[in-house]
Amino acid sequence: MAYVTKSPWVVHYDGSSCNGCDIEVLACLMPMYDVERFGIINTGNPKHADVFLVTGSVNEQNKDVVRQIYEQMPEPKVVVAVGICACHGGVFRDAYNILGGVDTVIPVDCYVPGCAARPEAIIDGVVKGLGILQAKREAMVNGAKAIPAEEEAPAEEAPAEEAAAPAEETAEEIKEEGGEA
Amino acid sequence: MVIKVISVIAYLVLAPIVGCILAGLDRKVSAKMQRRVGPPILQPYYDVRKLFEKEKMAPTRYQDFYIIAYLVFLIGAGAIFFAGGDLLLVIFTETIGAAFLVIAAYSSNSPYAEVGAERELLQMMAYEPMMLLTAVGFYMFHGSFTVDDLVKPDTMAFLPMIGLFIGFIYILTIKFRKSPFDLSMSHHAHQELVRGVTTEFVGRTMGWIEVSHWYENIFLLGFIFLFFCNGTVWGCVIGALVCIAAYFLEVFIDNSFARMKWQFAFKSAWIVAIVLGMVNIFILQLVF
Ligand code: SF4
């Protein structure tokens, strides 16, 4: 069992969003949900982080920021896209400056749907991410390069289904993205 | 001699274990104070193991050297202390260790780490006088700087040195990096400097820093223990209890105060050193 799953430190970046998901992410840290139970700490520093939580879509201004945060994180790392905006652009999708979901600039391992994503769904997404983290760690130990998450265009009709069944959706994503996770 | 070797080995082995458990209890108690469940007691251990599993990444390759030097000097300072060595030597060795942390932060060339390093230097300036005055106070009272003599005197130093004791507790907040004086690096997330001095330390390097904090905390608590030694078992028991009480007092302070500016940390630490420390030393000079 890799220790990385016992102390996943999170760095949270809020892209082009309405701040709804942002606040839900912070709600996870509050006494009500208290993710520190699982050793999850919201560190402000990508160099200490294992999990990259992105809320909001990516635009021309912040794509470099997202990419840089991702590159500064040491392996093994996972990216969790929180909210429909981060999954594929959401309500901002048609705006002139929006590139789309987070997966347009960096590989995403886990998608958490919802507008706003509920804290339970976010925690669920991070916990799913931990499985991938463990697989990546094992890949590292075995000398193989950590499995890169497949680039995948977000499905256009996804939101309605995703919102209806968040848990199944993330589980599906894991199967597709994480392989043996 | 044999006892010295045993106590040094015991320090090397037990200090990280006790330090880790204390850090875990710290987080648990903090969580309880915030009405949360909190992480498991062994969470700091998991964190460090996790850090050792991470990829290596460093802005300069000298950084690791500085951090290892930091760890070695801190362990060395603790080893001198538990071998019954000179209290001044302990303080100086510890200061060199702290300087290596600052150099490591500077070497990374990151603005956040550099501001953190500057603040770390200011913190060192703030706590150093009080630490030295404490050592001087022990000398005035017991007539010796060596820990060997300080653990078996016939009188307890606590009451005659109460000013120095309070002053030492005050700077312990700075040394433990607790709010309101966690200027250079906070154990809590989200501060204005990202992670201060430790911003650029990744994985293994960061793990070494955590381990050295465990070592450092234990021998700082050893200082508190010295105030209560009077050559009897009861002195030791009281000393150990007060060490634990002092640690949780710092946790309590940590959770009750917001961070202050460095000016306040600096001025107040010096005022405490001058008022409590110096007056106490004058009294020791006049009375004993
Ligand atoms: S998914 Fe909804 S709540 Fe979340 S950032 Fe986008 S618009 Fe806001």
Side-chain angles (χ1 to χ4, degrees):
Chain A
M1 164 101 173
Y3 283 94
V4 74
T5 59
K6 287 199 167 185
S7 103
W9 292 0
V10 163
V11 61
H12 167 219
Y13 179 76
D14 184 26
S16 241
S17 83
C18 76
N19 272 91
C21 291
D22 190 25
I23 286 164
E24 297 302 321
V25 167
L26 295 179
C28 297
L29 301 162
M30 296 291 119
M32 171 90 179
Y33 296 100
D34 185 28
V35 287
E36 207 190 341
R37 283 176 296 158
F38 311 117
I40 299 177
I41 291 181
N42 181 14
T43 140
N45 185 358
K47 297 202 169 184
H48 294 174
D50 311 290
V51 180
F52 185 15
L53 281 185
V54 203
T55 54
S57 47
V58 176
N59 61 26
E60 289 293 342
Q61 298 256 326
N62 70 19
K63 66 176 186 212
D64 296 327
V65 180
V66 173
R67 204 174 284 136
Q68 193 176 10
I69 294 176
Y70 179 75
E71 278 160 9
Q72 282 187 348
M73 287 168 63
E75 291 285 350
K77 57 187 168 190
V78 292
V79 179
V80 180
V82 174
I84 285 305
C85 288
C87 291
H88 83 140
V91 285
F92 304 106
R93 189 170 172 82
D94 294 329
Y96 64 93
N97 58 341
I98 296 290
L99 298 175
V102 182
D103 49 12
T104 49
V105 283
I106 53 172
V108 174
D109 299 281
C110 205
Y111 297 83
V112 178
C115 175
R118 295 182 60 84
E120 292 93 337
I122 298 174
I123 296 171
D124 197 34
V126 172
V127 170
K128 293 279 158 58
L130 295 187
I132 302 172
L133 210 51
Q134 166 127 24
K136 287 189 177 183
R137 166 69 194 158
E138 275 155 19
M140 250 175 92
V141 174
N142 299 336
K145 207 177 165 301
I147 333 141
E150 289 160 34
E151 291 279 346
E152 187 194 308
E156 289 296 323
E157 71 293 343
E161 295 165 24
E162 279 171 343
E168 286 85 333
E169 170 60 25
T170 35
E172 269 171 41
E173 292 294 345
I174 303 299
K175 276 190 217 114
E176 287 165 27
E177 310 285 334
E180 64 271 57
Chain B
M1 188 62 209
V2 179
I3 294 176
K4 277 185 184 179
V5 172
I6 292 174
S7 64
V8 169
I9 292 174
Y11 167 71
L12 292 181
V13 177
L14 292 180
I17 299 173
V18 178
C20 172
I21 291 172
L22 276 179
L25 284 172
D26 172 354
R27 282 175 69 175
K28 197 81 185 172
V29 170
S30 301
K32 288 281 183 253
M33 285 180 72
Q34 298 160 7
R35 301 207 171 174
R36 294 187 287 117
V37 178
I41 303 286
L42 283 181
Q43 189 60 44
Y45 171 73
Y46 299 146
D47 288 348
V48 166
R49 287 298 300 264
K50 188 274 306 268
L51 288 167
F52 278 88
E53 283 178 356
K54 298 285 283 184
E55 179 194 15
K56 266 193 185 169
M57 204 190 232
T60 83
R61 62 201 160 95
Y62 303 110
Q63 201 174 46
D64 281 6
F65 166 74
Y66 295 135
I67 291 301
I68 295 289
Y70 169 60
L71 177 70
V72 167
F73 275 102
L74 281 189
I75 293 178
I80 296 171
F81 185 90
F82 283 90
D86 196 315
L87 213 50
L88 288 176
L89 196 58
V90 173
I91 294 175
F92 294 145
T93 317
E94 201 260 336
T95 310
I96 295 175
F100 269 107
L101 178 65
V102 173
I103 296 171
Y106 270 122
S107 75
S108 67
N109 256 329
S110 145
Y112 295 117
E114 276 184 11
V115 178
E118 265 151 34
R119 290 186 181 184
E120 179 75 22
L121 282 174
L122 284 164
Q123 282 181 198
M124 283 166 70
M125 268 165 72
Y127 66 68
E128 214 57 46
M130 192 65 230
M131 290 205 54
L132 285 171
L133 283 182
T134 309
V136 171
F138 277 121
Y139 179 78
M140 307 279 286
F141 189 64
H142 291 316
S144 167
F145 275 121
T146 47
V147 177
D148 252 352
D149 299 333
L150 296 181
V151 289
K152 44 188 176 221
D154 35 5
T155 43
M156 199 183 270
F158 172 60
L159 278 180
M161 288 175 62
I162 186 134
L164 290 163
F165 179 78
I166 297 171
F168 193 78
I169 294 277
Y170 192 87
I171 59 144
L172 215 54
T173 318
I174 307 179
K175 286 296 301 174
F176 282 169
R177 299 165 193 286
K178 296 290 187 201
S179 183
F181 302 136
D182 52 353
L183 300 163
S184 69
M185 169 212 148
S186 168
H187 287 293
H188 306 293
H190 277 308
Q191 57 170 330
E192 73 280 14
L193 278 186
V194 188
R195 293 291 276 182
V197 255
T198 59
T199 304
E200 297 296 323
F201 305 140
V202 180
R204 188 169 295 261
T205 323
M206 185 65 195
W208 288 125
I209 292 179
E210 293 290 326
V211 173
S212 34
H213 283 327
W214 299 344
Y215 274 111
E216 190 182 17
N217 289 355
I218 295 303
F219 88 78
L220 286 171
L221 290 177
F223 270 79
I224 292 193
F225 186 75
L226 286 185
F227 280 96
F228 294 90
C229 281
N230 61 352
T232 65
V233 177
W234 282 112
C236 296
V237 172
I238 295 173
L241 290 178
V242 173
C243 284
I244 296 170
Y247 191 82
F248 287 101
L249 175 70
E250 299 297 346
V251 174
F252 179 75
I253 292 171
D254 189 26
N255 281 293
S256 327
F257 291 95
R259 183 179 303 127
M260 295 292 186
K261 289 184 181 163
W262 68 264
Q263 286 93 335
F264 178 81
F266 187 67
K267 277 185 204 151
S268 65
W270 275 53
I271 287 172
V272 165
I274 289 168
V275 174
L276 290 173
M278 293 298 260
V279 169
N280 201 164
I281 282 179
F282 279 128
I283 291 171
L284 285 178
Q285 173 72 20
L286 291 176
V287 179
F288 295 95

